[in-house]
Amino acid sequence: MTERMITISGIPTDISEPAFVLSRPHRTVTAGRAGQVFRSAHDAVAALRSGKVTHIVGALPFAVGAPAALWAPTSFTATDGSHRPSEDGTPPALEFDAALPAPEVHRQRVAAAVRLLGDPAHPVRKVVLARVIRARTACPVRAGELLDRLVSTDPMGNGYLVDLSAAGAPYQGRHLVGSSPEVLIRREDTGVFSYPLAGSARRVPDDDRADRQAADALRVSAKDQHEHRYVVDHVSDVLRDRCAEVRTPATPELTGTPEMWHLGTPLTATVPADGPSALELAVALHPTPAVCGTPTAEAARLIAEIEGHRGFYAGAIGWCDADGNGEWMVGIRCAELSSDGMSLLAHAGGGIVADSDPAAELAETTGKFQRILRPLGISESSVTVA
């Protein structure tokens, strides 16, 4: 393991409770508190380009134009390999409180969306609809405890933690914690990589044959291939406008987490040394049809009508340096921890197209919730029948 630490302002930082962590199989970035705050990604890009700051970390919200939680950190550490959880493996004591909306209401929302998408006159071809599970605890929980549980239960060591205070008063003291498998964008020197996921199936962990059947069914599903193509076309188009040598495989591959199978397509490209940074590419790509829908603006309006304000769920979490290097993950498989550490809002969604089945879409969100809720000891039955 090698470690590179930059103390940017000379301000001591409590590394036991960092403000930002992005854990990936190849690297963990840990950053300190805010030296300078940016609620606009474009202002953060300008600060990096001008040389006024050397690093930016934080989160982009789902809604374009909403306040971001970005800052120039007081310290920045990059360490080889994934985050090392503390030795205490005891899960935080959280209990299910409410499903928002109730499962039956989510099915009704999906059914209504399917009818809309089946209307040739309606502009939206795909929309991603999500639901929320609220959990509570009798004793305050630290964001670092949640991160440790998520990383230790993910075979790839994926996890993230972001203090959302930089977004302003409504988010003061709140944290976004999650374990996303989806790379929005990564830039290393002149190389660019994106790994969009769309099209999912629940895994069957205790039955290898049934699990393989679920994977094979997903691989040949016309509905999921169709949904996936919207995302790949969007990412490819954005990269072609800003990069060179964009390589897009003709068909997706199958990738898995402990809870879900996904269709994924690895896209690569190149940029000149002074080309668009990782943050600039993240802003251009976000939100993709994987978390919003298509066309983007119309799908986002429909989501706002149905769900209301999403906050930082389905946004992007990452970092960027003054050389343009950085990595941004799609803000899925996540939960927002309240400022007092006493309640948690977990999110999960699914892509809806004209031939989606409401019951199957509800089951998909239930499966995705397990990435967050199972490590925290919250039973699946409470999520399903609430």
Side-chain angles (χ1 to χ4, degrees), residues 337-358:
L337 181 66
S338 63
S339 57
D340 62 4
M342 302 292 286
S343 65
L344 192 77
L345 294 176
H347 300 75
I352 313 302
V353 292
D355 52 351
S356 290
D357 174 67

Side-chain angles (χ1 to χ4, degrees), residues 12-178:
T13 302
D14 179 5
I15 60 173
S16 67
E17 280 296 323
F20 174 90
V21 179
L22 178 59
S23 175
R24 299 282 289 124
H26 57 285
R27 179 196 297 114
T28 295
V29 166
T30 305
R33 304 291 160 182
Q36 183 177 357
V37 167
F38 301 93
R39 293 181 185 168
S40 160
H42 296 288
D43 290 344
V45 166
L48 281 172
R49 284 281 182 182
S50 68
K52 293 179 179 178
V53 302
T54 59
H55 295 78
I56 293 290
V57 301
L60 302 175
F62 170 73
V64 175
L70 300 172
W71 68 93
T74 54
S75 63
F76 181 96
T77 306
T79 306
D80 290 345
S82 59
H83 169 71
R84 291 179 173 178
S86 67
E87 305 240 342
D88 181 8
T90 304
L94 286 154
E95 294 185 354
F96 171 84
D97 182 52
L100 309 167
E104 179 56 33
V105 175
H106 184 73
R107 281 194 293 265
Q108 293 169 0
R109 287 179 173 183
V110 172
V114 167
R115 290 192 293 272
L116 275 180
L117 302 183
D119 180 357
H122 198 275
V124 178
R125 304 271 65 85
K126 172 187 173 181
V127 65
V128 178
L129 295 183
R131 63 189 186 110
V132 175
I133 297 298
R134 185 173 63 214
R136 295 193 183 277
T137 178
C139 299
V141 172
R142 293 185 298 107
E145 294 179 83
L146 303 182
L147 177 69
D148 284 354
R149 288 295 299 172
L150 294 177
V151 172
S152 66
T153 55
D154 185 283
M156 298 297 290
N158 284 315
Y160 57 85
L161 177 159
V162 185
D163 184 339
L164 299 175
S165 299
Y171 293 98
Q172 190 66 42
R174 292 177 174 268
H175 289 78
L176 189 72
V177 186

